[in-house]
Amino acid sequence: DSDEFFPGIPVIPYSPDASPDNVLCFRHYNPTQVVMGRSMADWLRFSACFWHSFRGTGADPFGFPTINRPWDDGTDTIENAKRRLRAGFEFFTKMGLKYWTFHDRDIAPMGDTLEQTNKNLDEMTDLALELQNKTGVKLLWATCNLFAHPMYSNGASTSPDAHVFAMAGAQVKKGLEVAKKLGAEGFVFWGGREGYQTLLNTDVRRELDHMGAFFKMVVAYKKKIGFTGQLLIEPKPKEPTKHQYDYDAQTVISFLKTYGLDTDFKLNIEPNHTTLAGHGHEHDVVVASKFGMLGSIDSNTGSPDLGWDTDQFPMEIKNTTLIMKAIIEQGGLAPGGLNFDCKVRRESIDLQDLFIAHIGAMDSFARGLMCAVELFNQGVMEKCVKDRYSSYDSGIGSSIENGKASLEQLEEYIKANGFPTPTSGQQEMYEVLFNNALKY
Amino acid sequence: DSDEFFPGIPVIPYSPDASPDNVLCFRHYNPTQVVMGRSMADWLRFSACFWHSFRGTGADPFGFPTINRPWDDGTDTIENAKRRLRAGFEFFTKMGLKYWTFHDRDIAPMGDTLEQTNKNLDEMTDLALELQNKTGVKLLWATCNLFAHPMYSNGASTSPDAHVFAMAGAQVKKGLEVAKKLGAEGFVFWGGREGYQTLLNTDVRRELDHMGAFFKMVVAYKKKIGFTGQLLIEPKPKEPTKHQYDYDAQTVISFLKTYGLDTDFKLNIEPNHTTLAGHGHEHDVVVASKFGMLGSIDSNTGSPDLGWDTDQFPMEIKNTTLIMKAIIEQGGLAPGGLNFDCKVRRESIDLQDLFIAHIGAMDSFARGLMCAVELFNQGVMEKCVKDRYSSYDSGIGSSIENGKASLEQLEEYIKANGFPTPTSGQQEMYEVLFNNALKY
Amino acid sequence: DSDEFFPGIPVIPYSPDASPDNVLCFRHYNPTQVVMGRSMADWLRFSACFWHSFRGTGADPFGFPTINRPWDDGTDTIENAKRRLRAGFEFFTKMGLKYWTFHDRDIAPMGDTLEQTNKNLDEMTDLALELQNKTGVKLLWATCNLFAHPMYSNGASTSPDAHVFAMAGAQVKKGLEVAKKLGAEGFVFWGGREGYQTLLNTDVRRELDHMGAFFKMVVAYKKKIGFTGQLLIEPKPKEPTKHQYDYDAQTVISFLKTYGLDTDFKLNIEPNHTTLAGHGHEHDVVVASKFGMLGSIDSNTGSPDLGWDTDQFPMEIKNTTLIMKAIIEQGGLAPGGLNFDCKVRRESIDLQDLFIAHIGAMDSFARGLMCAVELFNQGVMEKCVKDRYSSYDSGIGSSIENGKASLEQLEEYIKANGFPTPTSGQQEMYEVLFNNALKY
Amino acid sequence: DSDEFFPGIPVIPYSPDASPDNVLCFRHYNPTQVVMGRSMADWLRFSACFWHSFRGTGADPFGFPTINRPWDDGTDTIENAKRRLRAGFEFFTKMGLKYWTFHDRDIAPMGDTLEQTNKNLDEMTDLALELQNKTGVKLLWATCNLFAHPMYSNGASTSPDAHVFAMAGAQVKKGLEVAKKLGAEGFVFWGGREGYQTLLNTDVRRELDHMGAFFKMVVAYKKKIGFTGQLLIEPKPKEPTKHQYDYDAQTVISFLKTYGLDTDFKLNIEPNHTTLAGHGHEHDVVVASKFGMLGSIDSNTGSPDLGWDTDQFPMEIKNTTLIMKAIIEQGGLAPGGLNFDCKVRRESIDLQDLFIAHIGAMDSFARGLMCAVELFNQGVMEKCVKDRYSSYDSGIGSSIENGKASLEQLEEYIKANGFPTPTSGQQEMYEVLFNNALKY
C-alpha cells in the first residue's frame, strides 16, 4: 500500500512465546482474553495520545528537535495535518488501540482569526470522524490547548487580562462542539498556565474566582448543546508554572466544592503529576476513586529522582498492579480509560521506538491486571484489611460510624475498658502478600 | 531570687544600638512601637511553644538526648512537671512573650488510667492558670498529643481500632475542657498519625469517614461546654507518616467541605510544613488567608534542601516580610498568633541559646513587619497588581466577574475584537520593588 | 527449649508451593540452589543488622518507643546485653542468615570510663565469638557508633573539639581490635555527624583535613595489628546533619583521592542513601562498581516520596534485579555482602514481623538474582549495549580509547566524514528487554 | 541614533535616592565605590550571558516562544546574527557590564559543513572583537554548545558513537581558537548531555574514560596554541539527562583526580545547579573555594520548590551575601566573574524587563558585598569560628593537624583526660550575627 506510513510493521500480534529478541509483539496483552468477567480490552481501555506521538519533536529546554517523521514536512498546512492524522490512525490500528485523545491545536493549524481557526478544525474533524468510522477507533476525550500559545503565557481562565479569558472561552466553546461531533466520552481541562510564577504579581483569589466562573460557563454550554461526555480536570502541581492551581486530586476537589462544581466534574489523574506533588505513584488514583471522583487516567510514569514531568511509558509492574487494583475495586474505569500521555525519549528517534514503547506499556498494564486479579483471587490481603477494621463493625465502633457516638460516650468507654493496646500494622506482611501475587 | 531558673539573664531589652557582639537584646522588636495604627506586639502576637523549648531533649533518629536543663531531673513526676512550668513562665516573661501553647501531655504526666491522667492535668492546669494570672501571659491555643504514645501508632481518629478512636475522643474531651479553663483563644488539631504508611493495609475512605465523624463530635462538645476558641487544623504532608491526610491547606479545605465542617474550623499554617508539601514558604498562608481560612501561624522555617521537618527559628527577612504582608492584607491575625513551633538545634545546648533563638526570630519578624509596612507605604507594588487586573473592572471582564457572561458571549467578543495581545508579567520588576522595600 | 527466644517459630523453610496465606517460608530463596556456577547463598551473602533488629525501639521524632521484646528488660546491664545477643543469634540461625553486623555500642553498654567501656566490650565480644563459633554465623563487618552519644553532636573526627577527635580515635582503635578478634571481613565508617548543620559556624576545610588525618591513623593501626578486613566508608548525603561530607559515592572517592586514601578504602553503598542524594536506586552501586570501589551493600530501600532515611526492607524486584545485575557484572560481592540495614516499621511490633520482613527481603533478592541471571542468559540486552559502543572498537574510536587521538585529528576526521548522523538511544526497547527478563 | 536597539533607555545610572517607582537605576551598585581596598566593579566582575538574553525565546516544554526582539527577524543569517551581537554590546554598555560570555552556536549560524560553520564563526568573532575593542567589554569565558544539536542527543564526548566524539573534538578545537582570538579569561565545559537517561543502555565506565580522554586532548591543544585562559567545568546534577556525570563540585573533583586532570581545570559553579543537587545555595561555591577549585560563578538562583533549572536572576540578599563572603575569603574571583546565567521569565516580554532583571541582580550582589563586608568589619562571627577550633592550635589537636598523632596516642589521651564534654554549636547565635550584618 503506497499510503502506508509504517511500512514493514504489521498489526502487532500477541505472541507470548516469542524469542527474547523479538520486541514487536505482545507477550501479555491479549485483548480478547477474559479475566474477572471482562475482556482485557474492556478492563484496560487503552488510548493513544496524538500530541506526544504525532506532534512531539524531541525538543527540550536544552536541545533542538530530534524526531523527524517521514510524512511530516514541518509545515503548518492542512495537508500536512491530514497526513499526520492518517498516520495516527494507522498507528492506532496496528497497535490495537481502541481509543485516542487530542488537543484542538494538535490536529488543526491555528488561523489568523477565530473563524479561520475554527474552519480548520472543522475540516480536520471531518477527516477524524471519517477515520474513526473506518477504523472503529473512538475518541476517549478531547481537550483544548490553553497553554502553548503566547497569549496564554499568564494563564487562560486565570489570566489577568479579560481578553485572554474571553479567548479561552471561545476556544473551549468550539472544543465542546468538536467533542460532541466526534462522540468523545469525556472532555479534559489541564490548567497548564492556571497558576502563578510569583505571588508578588498575583491576586490569587481573583484568579480562582475567574476560574470558577469559567467552569460554570462550561457546564452551562455543555448542557445547552447536549454534550454528554464527562467533564474532567487533570491535576498537576507545577511545571510550567511555579504553582498550578490544580495541584493534586484533593486540591481540585477543594476547588470544585468551593465553587459548587463537584457534581459536574471528575478527575483525570496522571501518576507522573501525582509523584511531582510529593505523593506515591498511585495515591491520587486511589484517593480520587474512593471519593467517587476518578474519571480517567493518564497512564504514564516519571523518574522519582527527577523534578519534572518526563511522561515516560509505564513499565513498572508494581505500579501497574496498584493502578489496576484500584480500578478493579471501583468496578472498572469506563467511560474513562488508560490514556498513554507518554512520549518516547527524545533519543528514541526511530519509528519502531514508538511501537515498542506502547507495546511495553500495554504489556506492563496487562501484567498489572493479571497480578491484581491474582491478588483478589488469593484473597488474603483483602481479608486482612477487612479484619483490621472489624472493630468498627459493631459496638462502639459501629456507633462511631453511624454518627451516634459523642465525646462523652467515648470517655465512658475508656473509663470502662481502659487504655487500648497497640496492634501491629504488619506493613511488611502486606508487602510480602503483594509480592507473592506478582506472578506475571 | 533562689527560685530563678535563668539566673544572670535579665528581661531582654530593646537596644537597637547595642554593640555587634551583644546577642541578648532586641535590635528591631520594640513591642510598644506603633506601626500602621497598632503596636508591634499587636501585629505580631508572638507565642512560645512549651513542647520544643521545655520538653525537647535534642534526641534525633540517630542520636541520644543532648539537652539537659538544670531544673529537670528527668522524672515523670508532678514536681518535675511543676518546675518545668515555672521555668517556662519565667522564660516567657523574660522574653516578653505574651502567649504560650502546649499539648496536654507536655505539661502533665500520663497516669495508669484516664482518671489519674486527667487528675494530673487538673493539678497542672491549676498551676498554669495561677502562672497565667500572675504574669499576664495568655494561652494562644491548646492541643492534644494524639501521636506520641504507642497506642496511636496506627492513627488516633483514623486508627483501624475503634478502641483507639475512643481513647482519642476521651482525650480531646478533656483537652477542650482544659482549653476553656485556661481561656485559650484556639484549639489545634495536628494529625501526626492520621494518614498511612502503606496503602496496602489501609482503607482510606473508612479512615477519613472516621476522622469526619470525630470532628463532628468535637464541634458538638465544644458548643455544649461553651468553649468559644477557634478550632484549627494544622496541615502537614508527611512525617511521621508516609502520607498525612491533612497534606496542605487545600487538602484540609477539601476534607472540611466534604464532611460539612468548613465553617467550624480554620487552619493553623506552619511554613515548614508548607515547604515539605512542595510549595513556597508563604503559599499556604496566602491561600488560606484569601479564602478566609487562616486562623493562626506556626512561625518557623526549614531548610529547603532537607526533606524533613527541622522546625528552625525563622531568621529570613524575605520570608517574614512575605508572611507579614499577608497578615496585613487580612487585617491582622487575632485571635491567632505567631507561635514559635521551633526548636533550638540539638547542638545548641546552652540555656542562652534558647533566648538567642527567640530573639533572632522575633527581630526577624519585627523586620519583616517593618519591610511589609514599607512596601505598603511605597504603594507601587499594590498599584501595579491592581492595574494588572483592571480589565475585569468593566466591560467583558466585569460580566465575567458578575456571572453574566457565557461561552457564546466570549466567542462573540473574540470575533469582534480579535486575538488578545500578550502583556509582560514583569516578575523581575516585582522582585525589584520587593527588594527595594527591604530596608530594615 | 526454655532458652528459646522465638518459641513457635521454626527455622524458616524453603516452600515454593506454600499456600498464599503462609508468610513464614521462603518461596524463592533456596540457599543451596546453584545459579551461574554458585549457590544462591554465595551470590547473596545476606547479613543481619544487630542495631535495627535488636536495639530498635520504634521511637521516631514524633513518637515514643513501640517495640518491646520479651527478653529485653530495658536496662543497660551486661545481662540484658547478653540476652539480646543470644536472641540475635537464634534469629540469625532460624532465618538462615550467614552473616551479621553491629556497632560497638549496640552490643555492649558504655561505662563511665574508656577502660570500663572497653572491658564491657571484651566481655560481650567473648560471647559473640562463642556464638559465632557455635552457629557458624560470621561477622560481615563491624563498625563504631560515633554519632549517637552527645559528645559527638558536633562531629567525631570533624568535631571542632580535639578532645572529641581523640575520643573517636580511641573508640575506633578498640573497634578495630574487636573486628580482628571476631574475624570481621570488613570495617565500616558511617560519618553520621561528619558534616555541618550550618556553614556559618563551620571551617569546612579544617574539618575535612582532620577527617583525612583520622583515616590515615586508622590505616596505620589496621596494618600494625594485622587486621586484614576491608575498610569501608558508607556515603550518605544528609540526615542527621544538613550536609554530610560523605555525600555519595563520587564525593567519597573525591575525598579519598584528595587525601591519598583511595587504595585503602572501598565503599559500602546503601541505596536509601543513594536516593536521598538525588540518584536512582542503583546508581551508586553501579558507579562504585565500575571504578572498582564497591565493597559491600546495605541492602535496603526507601520511599522515593519521602525525604528521609526510612531504612525499609527491600521488596521491589526491579530494584533487586538491578543490584544483582551489577553484582554479577563485577563477579560477586565477597568479601562484602548484602547487609539488611533495615528496620521493621514502628507499627510492626510483633516478633513475627521481624521474620516476615527478612523473608520478604531475601525472597526479593533471590528473585532479583534469578531475573538478572535470566537477563544474562537471554543475552539480548548485553549484546545491544556492546553493539552500541562498537564504533570505539576500531578506527578513530580506537585511537580515542588508546590515547593517540588529538583535537587536530578529530577535526580532520570530521572534514573527511562530515557531520555524524543521530542514532536512536532505544530506551524503551531496553526497558522492554528488562521487563521481559522479570519472570520470577 | 538610528542604529540604537534600545531607544529611550539610557546608560543605567547610580541613583541611590530615586523614587520608589523608578526601577531603571542602581540603588546600590556603584562600580567605582571602593570597599575593602577594591572597587565594587573589581569585586563583582559581572558578566552578561549572550544566550539567555539575546537568543532566548521564552519557549518552554509546554509553550511556544513568547519573546520577540525588534532586531531579530528569526532567520539564521549572518546579518541577523550581527544585529543580535550589536544589540548585545549596546545592552552590555548601557548596563555597565564589563564582561560577556557566549557559546559558539549562539553568535554564529551553523553551516552544512565544518568548514562553513567555522567560517561563519570567524566572521562573527571578527565583529565581536571589533565590538569588544570599541566598548571595552571583555570576554569572561567562551564555551561550545555540545548539547543542543540532535547529533549530541546521546552525549558529546560520552556519545556511544565515536563519530560524535570526533565532532565534539573538532568543535572544541575551533572554540579554543576563538577563545584565544577574543582574549577570553576562561573556557567553560558544561556537559549537558554527558550523562545517561537510563543505565540499561549505558556503559558508564567506557563513557567516563572517553570523557577523560577528551579533556586530555583539550589540555594538549590549549597548550599547543598558547591559550592561557582557565579551563573550567560546570557541574550540574541532572536535566536534560537523568544523571549528568558532572553532578556537583565534589563529583567533578573526583572525576578530575581519577583522570589526572585536577591541575588543569577549575570549576564554574552555578548555585541553581547546586540546589538541584540537593545542597544549600552556597555549598558548592564554598567547597570548591576551600579546595582551591573555584574558578568562576554563574550567579543565578532557582526556586527551591521546583525540580528544574529556572535560571532566575539572583535577588536574595542572604544568598548574595553568602556568595560574596566566600569570594572575599578567597581574596577575589579573578580571572573568573559573576556571570548572569539567568533568563527573564518567559512572561517578561518587554525590552525593559531585561534591564530591570539585571539591575535587580546587580543591586542584590552589591548589597551582598556590602553585607559581607559589614560581617568582616564587625569581626564577631570570624572570631567565634576561630575560637571554636582553637583546641587544634596546640597540644593533642596540634599533633593531629601535623600528622604526628596515632590511635594509640589518642587512646592514651582519653585515658588521661576522660570523656569529652559537649559544647554548644550555637547555630542560632551565628544566624543572629549574620542577620545583624544585613544592613543594606
Side-chain angles (χ1 to χ4, degrees), chain C residues 224 238 278 389 401 408, chain D residues 207 210 224 238 278 401 408:
Chain C
K224 182 172 177 182
K238 52 190 75 170
Y389 293 87
E401 287 210 341
E408 295 96 314
Chain D
E207 292 201 356
H210 295 167
K224 182 172 177 183
K238 54 190 74 170
E401 288 210 341
E408 296 96 312

Side-chain angles (χ1 to χ4, degrees), chain B residues 120-173:
Chain B
N120 291 348
L121 202 49
D122 289 336
E123 187 168 351
M124 288 307 302
T125 49
D126 286 348
L127 176 59
L129 192 57
E130 177 193 325
L131 291 168
Q132 288 189 177
N133 290 335
K134 185 174 157 196
T135 60
V137 173
K138 294 192 283 185
L139 182 57
L140 187 67
W141 45 258
T143 187
C144 287
N145 184 324
L146 303 172
F147 50 88
H149 194 281
M151 66 173 75
Y152 293 128
S153 61
N154 292 293
S157 71
T158 66
S159 171
D161 182 355
H163 196 151
V164 175
F165 183 105
M167 178 65 202
Q171 191 173 333
V172 167
K173 175 176 176 290

Side-chain angles (χ1 to χ4, degrees), chain D residues 257-292:
Chain D
K257 286 186 178 286
T258 297
Y259 293 95
L261 292 158
D262 49 312
T263 56
D264 296 305
F265 284 82
K266 288 194 173 180
L267 306 181
N268 182 46
I269 300 296
E270 176 170 326
N272 197 169
H273 295 174
T274 304
T275 53
L276 289 173
H279 307 297
H281 185 87
E282 72 281 12
H283 173 84
D284 266 9
V285 164
V286 170
V287 167
S289 174
K290 296 308 180 192
F291 284 89

